[in-house]
Structures are given as C-alpha cells and as structure tokens.
Amino acid sequence: MALTQLAHSASALLPLVLPSIAAILAFAIFQRYFAPNPLSNLPIVGEEYHGYEKKRQAYLTKAKDLYLEGYTKFKHGLFRIVTPNANSVIVVSPRFLDELKKLPDDVVSFDAANDDSMHTKYTLIPTHEPILPHTIKTSLTPSLPRLNPQLSEEVQIAFSQEIAPLMSSSPSDWAPININSKLLRIVAKVSGRVFIGPELCHDERYLEAAVGYTVSVMEAQRAVERMNPWVRPIAAWRLKEVRKLAQMERDATAFLRPVVEARREKQRKGEEKDNDMLQWLMDSADQGQGKQHGKWGEDTTTTRKLARLQLAISFAAIHTTTLVTTHAVYSLAADPKLQATLREEIQSVLQEHKGVFNTSALQAMKKTDSFLKETMRFHPLGQTSFNRKVLRTFALSNGQVIPKGSTIEVPNYAVSRDPEAYPNPDVFDPLRFYNLRNEAREKGEAEQAASGQFVSVNKEFLTFGYGRHACPGRFFAANEIKMILANLVMTYEMGLVEGETERYRDWDIAAGTIPDPTKDVMFRKL
Ligand code: HEM
C-alpha cells in the first residue's frame, strides 16, 4: 500500500521535476561543448598528429622534441601539448613558478597529478601520504650526519657482494658488468640499511620488492593506460599486472609482520628502539601523523599500512637514485680524464678526513658534486617537472585562466638546454657548477654559490621538482650517490665496451629519459 502511494506521488511530481532535470542537462551540455574554452587562446604543439594512435606514437617517441619546440617558440608564456590521454596539459614557463608554488594543494595538487598519471584508482599505489615526506624531512635528513658512516659501510658490503665476484681473477683483465642492474641492488641494499635496518636490507624478499615494485607499478600503469577508459572501471581490477601489485603488497605485509611485532614487543619491554625509517614511521604513526592523513582511512599502525609505506618509499627512492648513478657511471666510463679528476679530489678529501665519509667530507667533494649536478642537468630523468593537477580554476599573473581539471607542468629538459640559463648548454661540462660556485664566491654572491650545489632546487634546475613537494629525499640520495661513485673511482678504472667510442646514448620513452639498461661497462681493478 505504502509503495503504491509512493509511486503515485512520484508520478504526480514528475511534470514539476522534469523541466529542472532538462535544464540541468542542457546547462551541462552547454558547459561541455559550447562554453568558451579559456585555453583556446593557447598555442598547441603536436596538433599535426591526428587520431589517438598517431598522438600516442608522437608523444612516445618525440616528446623531447615537442617540448623543445614549444619552449623555443613560447619560452616566456604557456602552450598546450598533445598527449595521448589529455587535451588540457598546459606547459608553463618557469617564470610562473614563484606564484604557482604559493598556491595551496587544493588548487594545484601534486598527489592528484600522480593519481592521474599512475592510475592509482586501479593500481592502488600509495599517494596522499604526507607521513612519508614528513618523516624524511624530520627524521631521515637530520640523522644523516649520524647515518653517513653506516651508509659508507653498507656501500662497501654491497660492492663486495655485487661487484667483486664479477671481477676477473687476473687483476690486469677488464670485466664487463651490466652496471645498471648491479646498481639497482647496491642502491636497494644501501637505502634498505636506513629504511628497514642492517639485517633485513640483505634479505632477498626485501630486495625483490624494493627493486621489483617500481617495475611492476610501471607495468600496471601501462596496462591500465592501454585499456579503453570506458572499460577501466569494470575491468582494470582484473588485469594481471594490477593483481600482481596487490600480491606484492600482501607479500610485503607478511614479510614485515614478524618484524613489526618484534619491534612492538621491544617497545613494550622498554628496550632501546631501532633507528631507521620503519621505526620512525611507526613512531610518527603513534603520534597520529598517519591517522590524520591516511588516504584509505586505515590505521597507520597496521602492518599493512607500514608495508604500503615501505613500498612507496622504495618506489620514490630506488630507481631514481639508480638511474642518476648509472647516468654518471656511463659518463665516467667514456672519460678516463674525468675519472682521474674525481679520483684526485676524493683521495685528497678522504686524506683530510681520516678516510671517513662524514658530512664535511661529502660537502668538500665539490667537483664530484658539480659532476652529479651536470649529470642531472644533461640527462634529466623527465622532460617535465612540477606536474600538478588543477583542482580549482585560477588565473596567472598574466591573466591566463587555468581551468579546473587541467594539468600543468614545466618543461624541465628544455629549460636545462636554454642558453640564457646555461652557457653552451649542449656541452657536457662536469665542472660547470664547480666553476660557477667558485666565481660566485669570489664575487661574494653567497646565494648564487649555494644554488650551484647538487641538492639546490631553483627555476633553472628542476630535476628534483620545485616548491613544497620538491624531493625531500635528495639530501639522502646525494650522499648515497657520492659514496657509491667514490667507491667506484677509488677501486676501479672504467671503460666502454669494445667498439664503442662515445658515451652510451640515452633512451627517450615518452616524457622520460633513461640510460640504456642493456649496456655493459668495463671494469678493471686499479
Ligand atoms: C636522485 C634521486 C631522486 C630524484 C631524481 C628524485 C626526484 C623527485 C621528484 C622530481 C619529485 C617530485 C617533486 C615535485 O614535483 O615538485 C620527488 C618527490 C619525492 N621524492 Fe624523490 N627523487 C630522488 C630520490 C629520492 C629518495 C632517495 C627518496 C627517499 C628517501 C625520495 C622521496 C621522495 C618523496 C617521498 C617524494 C614526494 C614528496 C611529497 O609528497 O611532497 N626521493 N622526487
């Protein structure tokens, strides 16, 4: 009876409601198709590629050229770039960075941009986890002076396990080594020492997850990307690549469970706490950090959550650090004189510091620092930086309206090849920043001198990002890379494989650049 009455009154209301529904629909259609597009005044790069497949191919193989073309033409303004998935990617001149960095996260969002590009709706990889940058900034970076000797010890151990067994038994012979794959394990071990402690960082289950998670995330991301967007909500969950990520998360949780339980037991007994990222994350969580912010509404203290955070930090840290180090090794292998220059510097600094890699020794390695910064300038990992999703419409100081829903980015690679920012930008000059710092210091320009450091972020050096989300792990990465390179140049001579005369060429894949992972480098003990 009640149902019949309800149906009756609903049908009586229908004539009143229908016009409103029609009006809302008409407004939505107008907004979607006929409202003036605030971006229509912006030039577009890559417009000549018609159809999804041509656009995809162009972006996959020529993204670097497209960004360079746009930046050369519209250096001080904005342009749009055609990408396979989005029509509203706006490439912004770095001159707007100072105003952009002041905008809050609910206007331009780092996390939402990652959600889009990594398809986190389906891959469920952890984003929106301020507990990670928070813990890196408040616990990891301040602990570096204490941690440096441990890192240095771990570098030695990792080298003895990963490189030494591959060396020829005759000291005068050269041995070919696929250094990229070896560096992945070395970086995972050295980082792991600080992320989960000295024993577990050698456990193959940890190493497999630390190295393999990033690869699996990229595979899952590509699998979702290949799927028609309309089908994704129903079918993306069933992709084998996506299911593999869920399995990795379960494995990581099972691996960590006894470790977390043992640490909680220690805490209960009042024993001394461990001093690593896992413990700091547990402590931050106890203080309510994660509970406040956790995206999935999970209790941060659960082992599952801690496992997700460990996977997330591996994702952020291991491959990035390895790629930069591999780029550096390829440049060294092609340039014996550069090896000698760095060897001389490192030897003399270590002599002054009684052979210890402490903070002041690392800071004194200014040529090595300059070489690393030039490596990242010349071989940035991405064509773009400061990738942010616009969550609320805003206007730039030049009046340009940037609508909600668009994505903004800064053309990092093109900026790093701008002759106004860098004289002779197409020349790889390992001592570029060393000389710049010296000149600035002589002129009393302290700020300019500081901006030449590897870890400094500025509008011309964006490989670590910019603003409040600029990479918090860069101080740790800088120390780790310097120690690895120092060990390499102090122990080995490096060279290219027979038949190669020039530094190995990079691989450009869409908006990313990686050192060719198939190449070997020749090693001979000094
Ligand atoms: C040379 C190696 C590295 C490179 C090139 C690199 C690069 C970057 C870049 C470009 C960003 C985004 C910044 C932005 O958009 O403004 C970022 C963010 C981040 N990086 Fe790194 N990174 C490196 C190493 C590390 C390491 C070793 C860690 C951890 C110890 C780490 C942890 C993070 C985290 C947690 C974020 C997110 C920051 C946030 O949410 O605010 N990174 N990194």
Side-chain angles (χ1 to χ4, degrees):
M1 179 68 180
L3 266 181
T4 331
Q5 264 176 359
L6 195 68
H8 181 75
S9 43
S11 59
L13 280 175
L14 214 54
L16 296 173
V17 176
L18 263 182
S20 317
I21 295 176
I24 291 167
L25 271 176
F27 180 72
I29 292 169
F30 176 80
Q31 283 291 326
R32 175 87 173 79
Y33 296 103
F34 302 107
N37 177 358
L39 301 179
S40 57
N41 61 324
L42 291 185
I44 306 184
V45 167
E47 220 176 0
E48 63 277 25
Y49 301 102
H50 298 290
Y52 176 81
E53 194 44 36
K54 280 198 181 139
K55 283 179 184 161
R56 199 177 76 88
Q57 279 303 327
Y59 196 76
L60 212 61
T61 56
K62 298 190 192 98
K64 200 180 230 177
D65 299 336
L66 292 174
Y67 282 108
L68 262 179
E69 180 194 328
Y71 183 72
T72 311
K73 287 186 188 156
F74 316 109
K75 181 171 157 177
H76 299 295
L78 299 92
F79 62 93
R80 281 194 284 163
I81 191 156
V82 167
T83 72
N85 290 305
N87 292 320
S88 45
V89 173
I90 306 164
V91 188
V92 182
S93 162
R95 84 181 171 95
F96 293 106
L97 274 172
D98 282 337
E99 55 189 277
L100 285 170
K101 82 170 183 186
K102 289 186 196 133
L103 294 173
D105 284 1
D106 61 359
V107 177
V108 287
S109 168
F110 171 78
D111 287 325
N114 283 335
D115 286 343
D116 274 7
S117 64
M118 304 310 299
H119 299 292
T120 60
K121 199 169 164 194
Y122 309 111
T123 56
L124 298 185
I125 64 165
T127 49
H128 302 261
E129 298 291 0
I131 192 172
L132 269 187
H134 170 83
T135 310
I136 295 171
K137 285 177 196 165
T138 56
S139 299
L140 175 62
T141 307
S143 305
L144 284 175
R146 181 182 59 75
L147 292 173
N148 282 329
Q150 292 178 28
L151 290 176
S152 159
E153 184 192 46
E154 197 54 56
V155 171
Q156 303 273 1
I157 298 172
F159 266 60
S160 69
Q161 293 169 342
E162 301 295 333
I163 305 282
L166 302 176
M167 296 309 292
S168 160
S169 50
S170 151
S172 58
D173 282 354
W174 289 92
I177 296 180
N178 182 277
I179 193 67
N180 183 65
S181 60
K182 286 292 148 192
L183 282 171
L184 267 172
R185 286 177 62 84
I186 293 171
V187 168
K189 284 179 180 176
V190 177
S191 312
R193 169 90 178 226
V194 172
F195 294 170
I196 54 166
E199 287 91 31
L200 293 178
C201 73
H202 292 273
D203 191 306
E204 281 303 324
R205 287 170 297 171
Y206 156 74
L207 289 170
E208 207 176 300
V211 172
Y213 184 66
T214 304
V215 178
S216 301
V217 165
M218 300 320 288
E219 283 168 358
Q221 185 258 1
R222 279 196 293 270
V224 175
E225 200 125 309
R226 278 195 300 270
M227 194 171 247
N228 187 319
W230 295 97
V231 186
R232 287 175 196 164
I234 326 154
W237 314 94
R238 292 202 293 273
L239 284 166
K240 69 174 188 316
E241 293 86 349
V242 169
R243 281 187 286 126
K244 184 175 175 192
L245 285 184
Q247 186 56 47
M248 289 185 94
E249 202 181 294
R250 284 194 289 275
D251 292 346
T253 310
F255 173 67
L256 272 191
R257 182 158 290 119
V259 183
V260 173
E261 273 165 18
R263 290 188 180 205
R264 294 251 176 257
E265 183 58 25
K266 262 181 164 179
Q267 247 168 289
R268 274 192 290 273
K269 288 185 187 157
E271 289 173 14
E272 198 186 337
K273 280 187 193 173
D274 293 77
N275 214 337
D276 55 23
M277 181 61 80
L278 178 61
Q279 188 63 46
W280 300 326
L281 286 172
M282 288 168 70
D283 291 348
S284 296
D286 289 348
Q287 288 153 18
Q289 278 291 330
K291 270 190 184 159
Q292 239 166 300
H293 304 292
K295 179 182 173 189
W296 314 103
E298 295 161 321
D299 178 354
T300 324
T301 54
T302 63
T303 309
R304 174 168 177 249
K305 180 65 188 244
L306 288 165
R308 283 170 62 75
L309 292 173
Q310 282 289 340
L311 289 172
I313 198 168
S314 292
F315 179 74
I318 309 292
H319 280 256
T320 44
T321 307
T322 302
L323 290 171
V324 173
T325 317
T326 307
H327 273 305
V329 173
Y330 285 0
S331 297
L332 282 168
D335 189 347
K337 259 170 63 188
L338 178 58
Q339 292 175 42
T341 306
L342 299 195
R343 198 170 289 130
E344 198 181 295
E345 173 181 82
I346 293 162
Q347 206 158 22
S348 98
V349 167
L350 285 179
Q351 255 163 22
E352 281 165 32
H353 292 82
K354 302 192 174 81
V356 180
F357 280 97
N358 55 23
T359 304
S360 100
L362 290 163
Q363 277 169 359
M365 294 176 187
K366 294 198 167 78
K367 290 181 183 169
T368 311
D369 192 274
S370 167
F371 162 57
L372 279 180
K373 194 172 179 93
E374 179 71 346
T375 299
M376 277 183 67
R377 180 191 76 84
F378 209 79
H379 307 277
L381 305 186
Q383 320 299 338
T384 63
S385 184
F386 200 81
N387 310 73
R388 306 288 186 262
K389 173 102 185 223
V390 178
L391 301 183
R392 281 199 277 141
T393 301
F394 70 96
L396 286 168
S397 55
N398 67 349
Q400 177 65 50
V401 171
I402 308 291
K404 171 182 170 178
S406 43
T407 302
I408 54 170
E409 53 189 29
V410 178
N412 177 33
Y413 172 77
V415 173
S416 73
R417 295 302 179 96
D418 181 346
E420 279 181 35
Y422 298 103
N424 299 321
D426 295 329
V427 173
F428 181 79
D429 174 4
L431 298 187
R432 177 188 296 272
F433 294 99
Y434 174 79
N435 294 329
L436 196 135
R437 283 172 76 181
N438 282 345
E439 281 160 29
R441 215 172 296 111
E442 274 162 26
K443 288 189 211 154
E445 297 166 350
E447 205 177 312
Q448 179 72 3
S451 79
Q453 290 179 52
F454 178 54
V455 289
S456 294
V457 164
N458 55 53
K459 278 181 274 183
E460 279 89 40
F461 188 79
L462 296 162
T463 309
F464 284 123
Y466 196 76
R468 76 179 70 88
H469 293 287
C471 178
R474 63 192 191 276
F475 305 93
F476 175 76
N479 290 8
E480 187 177 17
I481 300 173
K482 276 184 195 169
M483 286 183 203
I484 292 174
L485 287 184
N487 264 277
L488 280 174
V489 296
M490 296 302 287
T491 322
Y492 304 105
E493 261 180 281
M494 287 165 270
L496 304 174
V497 291
E498 212 183 320
E500 299 270 10
T501 50
E502 284 179 10
R503 185 202 187 272
Y504 303 140
R505 286 173 71 91
D506 294 335
W507 286 4
D508 293 325
I509 307 164
T513 297
I514 57 166
D516 180 347
T518 65
K519 293 288 188 198
D520 283 347
V521 167
M522 303 303 292
F523 282 82
R524 182 163 70 174
K525 211 148 182 345
L526 278 169

